[in-house]
Amino acid sequence: MAKIIMLGEIMMRLQPVGYKRFMQADSFEIVFGGGEANVAVSLAQFGEDVAFVSKLPKNALGDKCIKELRGWGVDTGYIARGGDRIGIYFCEKGCSQRGSNVIYDRAGSSIATADKKDFDVDKILDEAEWLHWTGITPAVSDSLAEITEMILKAAKKKNITVSCDLNYRKKLWSKEKANKVMSKLVKYVDVLISNEEDSKDVFGIEAQNTDINAGVLSVEGYESIGRQLMKKFPALKYVAFTLRESVSASRNGWSAILIDKDSVYKSKKYMIDIVDRVGGGDSFGAGLIYGLHNNLGAQNAIEFAVAASCLKHTVEGDFNVISVDEVNKLAGGDGSGRVQR
């Protein structure tokens, strides 16, 4: 049985070749990905025993998606089959001063129309030590929000560590609904991952002396958000924030902080020349889960998470196909990018 469980939707990503715009495209490349699936694949590359829980249509596209996940070492035995379709999103990659653009086509997907009876919760959580989900999952549909709550309640009864990436998506639900639903679900969470925008959009909590568009980020302001979140949700043991300084769509400063009840741990900062930003936050979540699950200590965990995510920004597609050794090499100070012979 898997030790780490992911709950969420995986979609088919269609993107123009290279950096073409949608209006220029005469063909699309196919990539699979989604918040929790991206975390699952990353953790599998780190050697973790990880399973992905979702629902996919019983057709060739669903089969292809499962084959892709299995190929990266993810247990797909808990994926229910049925429903009408796999969710799709179109991604136009940004460059320089032109930001990326995403168009969703996911309404009525198999996981959005799933039912509680599709999932054997006791079997899924048997021997599990960690459960991860994101705010995207309950935003997909009301029924999926209910399924999420059902699994979270069962996980807490089994003393399973629960992590969540807030991941607010304005194209999926309103701030008001996100606040109502997430306030009910985050009370089961031990490790919360966010950024300044998400904590503001979902819970109305924002950092002082911070302007993300101008690249002005205040560690003290983020610590204040973390303390307020811990007060609102007493079960939280850790709150992590990614700190993205957007110089352009192609170049970002990247660091993070991790807050526990006593201290604040700040990572080193990387300047990244971006190949593909999608999945960057998910790779951070995977790195943090790996660090905390393997008892690396708070400082080492946040350094590992940021280094893993830094490397993901250089990888095409949603999945972070990077090894522990590669992450440790970067976290240890080798960011030269020299050929490995």
Side-chain angles (χ1 to χ4, degrees), residues 95-97 245-252 274 277:
C95 183
S96 193
Q97 279 67 47
E245 300 171 40
S246 294
V247 178
S248 70
S250 303
R251 188 165 174 79
N252 286 180
I274 298 171
R277 174 174 165 172

Side-chain angles (χ1 to χ4, degrees), residues 20 49 58 84 111 117 197 224 284 303 312 322 331:
K20 284 186 176 181
D49 181 9
K58 197 171 183 179
D84 295 328
I111 188 64
K117 66 177 183 293
E197 291 176 289
S224 173
F284 172 85
E303 295 290 1
K312 165 61 194 78
I322 295 290

Side-chain angles (χ1 to χ4, degrees), residues 168 173-183 201-203:
Y168 175 70
W173 58 358
S174 67
K175 294 178 183 179
E176 293 74 21
K177 186 168 184 179
N179 180 283
K180 180 180 179 180
V181 175
M182 294 299 285
S183 293
D201 289 337
V202 177
F203 297 121

Side-chain angles (χ1 to χ4, degrees), residues 187-248:
K187 67 182 181 182
Y188 300 107
V189 172
D190 301 283
V191 181
L192 186 64
I193 301 167
S194 181
N195 59 33
E196 201 273 339
E197 291 176 289
D198 289 343
S199 60
K200 177 182 177 181
D201 289 337
V202 177
F203 297 121
I205 302 173
E206 59 184 308
Q208 301 299 313
N209 303 316
T210 290
D211 184 341
I212 58 173
N213 293 319
V216 179
L217 305 177
S218 164
V219 173
E220 294 77 14
Y222 283 95
E223 181 181 4
S224 173
I225 296 177
R227 299 298 175 206
Q228 291 178 68
L229 287 168
M230 285 180 160
K231 184 177 180 180
K232 182 177 179 66
F233 302 105
L236 287 175
K237 298 179 179 67
Y238 293 99
V239 178
F241 292 98
T242 53
L243 310 178
R244 186 185 294 276
E245 300 171 40
S246 294
V247 178
S248 70

Side-chain angles (χ1 to χ4, degrees), residues 145-158:
E146 292 175 0
I147 291 168
T148 303
E149 184 176 20
M150 173 185 71
I151 295 177
L152 289 176
K153 286 181 176 179
K156 294 317 293 182
K157 287 181 180 179
K158 292 176 176 288

Side-chain angles (χ1 to χ4, degrees), residues 130-335:
W130 198 293
L131 170 68
H132 179 73
W133 59 288
T134 78
I136 297 171
T137 298
V140 169
S141 69
D142 291 342
S143 62
L144 190 50
E146 292 175 0
I147 291 168
T148 303
E149 184 176 20
M150 173 185 71
I151 295 177
L152 289 176
K153 286 181 176 179
K156 294 317 293 182
K157 287 181 180 179
K158 292 176 176 288
N159 293 316
I160 295 169
T161 299
V162 176
S163 58
C164 171
D165 190 333
L166 279 181
N167 264 349
Y168 175 70
R169 295 291 184 267
K170 64 183 179 181
K171 293 184 179 181
L172 294 180
W173 58 358
S174 67
K175 294 178 183 179
E176 293 74 21
K177 186 168 184 179
N179 180 283
K180 180 180 179 180
V181 175
M182 294 299 285
S183 293
K184 184 167 58 173
L185 299 180
V186 172
K187 67 182 181 182
Y188 300 107
V189 172
D190 301 283
V191 181
L192 186 64
I193 301 167
S194 181
N195 59 33
E196 201 273 339
E197 291 176 289
D198 289 343
S199 60
K200 177 182 177 181
D201 289 337
V202 177
F203 297 121
I205 302 173
E206 59 184 308
Q208 301 299 313
N209 303 316
T210 290
D211 184 341
I212 58 173
N213 293 319
V216 179
L217 305 177
S218 164
V219 173
E220 294 77 14
Y222 283 95
E223 181 181 4
S224 173
I225 296 177
R227 299 298 175 206
Q228 291 178 68
L229 287 168
M230 285 180 160
K231 184 177 180 180
K232 182 177 179 66
F233 302 105
L236 287 175
K237 298 179 179 67
Y238 293 99
V239 178
F241 292 98
T242 53
L243 310 178
R244 186 185 294 276
E245 300 171 40
S246 294
V247 178
S248 70
S250 303
R251 188 165 174 79
N252 286 180
W254 185 249
S255 61
I257 62 171
L258 180 64
I259 302 163
D260 63 20
K261 65 178 181 178
D262 298 316
S263 305
V264 178
Y265 308 88
K266 190 178 189 307
S267 77
K268 69 178 69 174
K269 182 171 76 172
Y270 299 92
M271 290 305 299
I272 310 171
D273 293 307
I274 298 171
V275 171
D276 194 338
R277 174 174 165 172
V278 177
D282 304 322
S283 60
F284 172 85
L288 185 63
I289 291 169
Y290 176 85
L292 295 177
H293 186 240
N294 287 279
N295 300 310
L296 300 186
Q299 187 64 52
N300 289 332
I302 197 68
E303 295 290 1
F304 187 92
V306 169
S309 185
C310 174
L311 290 170
K312 165 61 194 78
H313 285 76
T314 72
V315 178
E316 289 271 11
D318 279 48
F319 298 156
N320 192 24
V321 290
I322 295 290
S323 69
V324 169
D325 287 345
E326 289 173 306
V327 177
N328 283 333
K329 187 172 184 179
L330 177 58
D334 186 355

